[in-house]
Amino acid sequence: GENVGLHLPTLSVQEGDNSIINCAYSNSASDYFIWYKQESGKGPQFIIDIRSNMDKRQGQRVTVLLNKTVKHLSLQIAATQPGDSAVYFCAEIGTNAGKSTFGDGTTLTVKP
Amino acid sequence: DTEVTQTPKHLVMGMTNKKSLKCEQHMGHRAMYWYKQKAKKPPELMFVYSYEKLSINESVPSRFSPECPNSSLLNLHLHALQPEDSALYLCASSQDFPGAQVSEQYFGPGTRLTVT
């Protein structure tokens, strides 16, 4: 679709549908990437990570895709549930270990 | 125990006050972090401690003073703050580096700071 690869600040999906959240990163030297979920009033919570020597990694209901050529990261959530409603951030960590940079978040709203 | 705790949860302080934020973890992590997060924005890195030594200071104003008294504790001392410093302050920890692969950070719930 026309939104593939595009970062959206908000995303609204129907319960049971699949969600795709996109992120562009800036530093080609970054070698570790993390997706975090942040619910209202809480700190970010780790969802899934991927290292730069991989292009895909799967977890439980989530998949992260890494395209180093265009410096793009995506998070796919299968069978989205109301409990998935939150703000999602990608983070890139470079060779200067510990220095992580967060991307702009995407607010996911799941409609029952 | 995979929890990072932060106290207090909420803090209101005047511009002439001195206060401290506290963070604690018992996961044996040797890297600890302070982030600042404004509403509807991503967390911004402020400081990184590695083995109780300050390794990264992201050009943070001196009115913020971090301290790592031991491997489990991280403090952020606040003095003469400005209203624009009002934000959510997040603490995080991760497995040690250098030498180890960089790994995920575990975040605390944050301290909601309001400067009046």
Side-chain angles (χ1 to χ4, degrees):
Chain A
E2 61 185 29
N3 292 333
V4 172
L6 184 67
H7 170 259
L8 299 174
T10 61
L11 178 65
S12 182
V13 301
Q14 206 67 39
E15 181 179 1
D17 286 353
N18 296 334
S19 303
I20 299 176
I21 300 172
N22 297 306
C23 175
Y25 64 94
S26 56
N27 187 353
S28 56
S30 295
D31 51 15
Y32 181 53
F33 304 88
I34 302 175
W35 278 102
Y36 287 98
K37 172 186 180 183
Q38 187 173 22
E39 296 176 278
S40 181
K42 297 184 179 180
Q45 178 187 4
F46 172 90
I47 301 173
I48 191 167
D49 60 359
I50 189 167
R51 299 199 183 269
S52 59
N53 60 352
M54 304 171 70
D55 52 22
K56 181 179 180 179
R57 189 154 190 240
Q58 287 185 286
Q60 188 177 19
R61 278 202 309 119
V62 294
T63 301
V64 55
L65 299 178
L66 174 63
N67 184 331
K68 293 182 287 295
T69 302
V70 295
K71 292 189 286 188
H72 180 266
L73 200 65
S74 70
L75 176 70
Q76 300 176 2
I77 305 174
T80 316
Q81 302 167 1
D84 295 327
S85 294
V87 180
Y88 290 80
F89 293 102
C90 67
E92 57 178 306
I93 296 93
T95 52
N96 182 0
K99 185 173 170 64
S100 54
T101 303
F102 281 70
D104 293 333
T106 294
T107 301
L108 175 66
T109 302
V110 182
K111 296 175 286 187
Chain B
D1 182 5
T2 58
E3 192 179 20
V4 175
T5 58
Q6 290 187 244
T7 55
K9 288 185 178 179
H10 300 275
L11 178 62
V12 180
M13 61 185 290
M15 290 187 285
T16 58
N17 290 160
K18 283 185 181 181
K19 296 287 184 183
S20 296
L21 309 185
K22 297 186 182 302
C23 174
E24 189 167 2
Q25 57 88 15
H26 296 286
M27 293 178 278
H29 290 169
R30 302 306 293 273
M32 296 186 76
Y33 312 77
W34 280 115
Y35 288 85
K36 174 182 177 180
Q37 186 177 27
K38 302 284 270 186
K40 300 190 185 302
K41 294 293 186 182
E44 295 177 3
L45 184 66
M46 299 174 72
F47 302 104
V48 181
Y49 273 83
S50 174
Y51 288 85
E52 295 91 70
K53 292 195 187 313
L54 184 65
S55 62
I56 296 176
N57 175 343
E58 290 288 277
S59 303
V60 179
S62 60
R63 57 186 185 269
F64 295 90
S65 175
E67 178 196 19
C68 191
N70 61 55
S71 60
S72 299
L73 294 174
L74 185 67
N75 298 323
L76 186 62
H77 303 297
L78 314 172
H79 174 54
L81 295 194
Q82 304 296 309
E84 58 265 28
D85 296 322
S86 298
L88 180 68
Y89 287 85
L90 293 161
C91 173
S93 70
S94 68
Q95 288 182 347
D96 46 9
F97 62 86
Q101 268 195 319
V102 177
S103 64
E104 70 200 72
Q105 295 176 15
Y106 291 79
F107 282 83
T111 293
R112 177 74 60 189
L113 175 67
T114 303
V115 182
T116 61

